[in-house]
Amino acid sequence: MPVDITWWGHATATVLDSGTSVLTDPLFTRRCAHLRRRRGTLPPVAARRADVVLVSHLHADHLHLRSLARLAAGTPLLLPRGALRAVPGLRRLAARLEVCEVTPGDRVPVGGLTVRAVPAAHDGRRLPFGPRRVSALGYVVEGEARTYYAGDTDLFEAMAREAGPVDMVLLPVGGWGPRLGNGHLNAERAAEALTRLRPRGAVPVHYGTYWPFGMAGVRPHEFHSPGDEFVRHAARLAPAVRVHRLRHGESVRLAVAG
């Protein structure tokens, strides 16, 4: 049975595996705080329907309350442990969504899949304030294939060991501003991650969608170029990995033997 991955923009993607749909870090609005969507149409209404939703960390462009409020009642929502305490607005959503807080090593069965929480190297607290002990997460979706959604992360020593053997990776490349801080991957470091993870395929995400208001002319290559740079660095560092640089709303199908 094939596995389909659709990138909607930023860190929002749908993984369809074993008849079960997994939605990552949903962001369904043109504006998020000081950011505006500069490329790609918004995800269609159909993208809101998912069998499980994964939130990697508490930053507003990943845990976006207005977008989560558009999910169907009863949708399972996986969050880092401590999120409900750190983000008061989540408590209202918990009354209509099936909220489950997880920590690295936790495994949650959903339909024909198992979702496994893994660590990420990123400041996952709700900014500008929030408890530092709310850790950022990645997730491995295990079904017909093993798909690693890294959330926001930097390289870290145990990345490959924590993720385990994977077929496809969704890696954050670049970001939403003219400079990347700690806890992020530029195109070359994301390609280096491929040398550790050794997947069959990779999809770059997180770049080329949102950008701060009034800053379109500030280091614009940081908005436009990370996807192409990732393809170039991956060809040099990890030539055995097939990179799929998707356009917004575009999908890739992974054929699974058997």
Side-chain angles (χ1 to χ4, degrees), residues 17-18 20 22 52 54 78 105-117 139-147:
D17 186 336
S18 304
T20 302
V22 180
V52 65
L54 312 181
L78 304 191
D106 287 349
R107 303 173 70 93
V108 180
V110 182
L113 306 175
T114 297
V115 178
R116 178 165 54 89
Y139 296 92
V140 178
V141 177
E142 301 174 341
E144 293 288 331
R146 290 161 297 192
T147 302

Side-chain angles (χ1 to χ4, degrees), residues 101-159:
E101 294 190 331
V102 294
T103 195
D106 287 349
R107 303 173 70 93
V108 180
V110 182
L113 306 175
T114 297
V115 178
R116 178 165 54 89
V118 298
H122 190 71
D123 181 356
R125 62 188 166 138
R126 190 72 163 183
L127 298 176
F129 308 105
R132 290 185 178 271
R133 60 184 174 273
V134 180
S135 300
L137 298 175
Y139 296 92
V140 178
V141 177
E142 301 174 341
E144 293 288 331
R146 290 161 297 192
T147 302
Y148 173 36
Y149 170 60
D152 265 6
T153 191
D154 206 335
L155 286 173
F156 58 100
E157 186 65 29
M159 176 183 274

Side-chain angles (χ1 to χ4, degrees), residues 42-63:
L42 289 174
V45 172
R48 305 176 194 174
R49 294 193 291 270
D51 295 302
V52 65
V53 175
L54 312 181
V55 169
S56 60
H57 62 288
L58 306 191
H59 293 174
D61 57 320
H62 292 258
L63 193 164

Side-chain angles (χ1 to χ4, degrees), residues 203-246:
V203 174
V205 302
H206 203 257
Y207 72 97
T209 309
Y210 288 86
W211 203 251
F213 279 86
M215 297 187 71
V218 180
R219 296 172 62 87
H221 62 282
E222 297 291 354
F223 178 85
H224 293 285
S225 66
D228 290 332
E229 290 180 358
F230 176 66
V231 171
R232 178 168 56 83
H233 287 300
R236 175 174 57 87
L237 296 174
V241 179
R242 184 174 181 184
V243 175
H244 306 272
R245 195 182 77 78
L246 303 179

Side-chain angles (χ1 to χ4, degrees), residues 31 34-36 38 176 178 211-219:
R31 181 169 180 174
H34 63 296
L35 307 178
R36 70 178 178 92
R38 292 190 58 216
W176 50 253
W211 203 251
F213 279 86
M215 297 187 71
V218 180
R219 296 172 62 87

Side-chain angles (χ1 to χ4, degrees), residues 8-9 12 27-29 37 41-48 210:
W8 302 114
T12 306
L27 187 51
F28 297 144
T29 59
R37 190 172 182 121
T41 59
L42 289 174
V45 172
R48 305 176 194 174
Y210 288 86

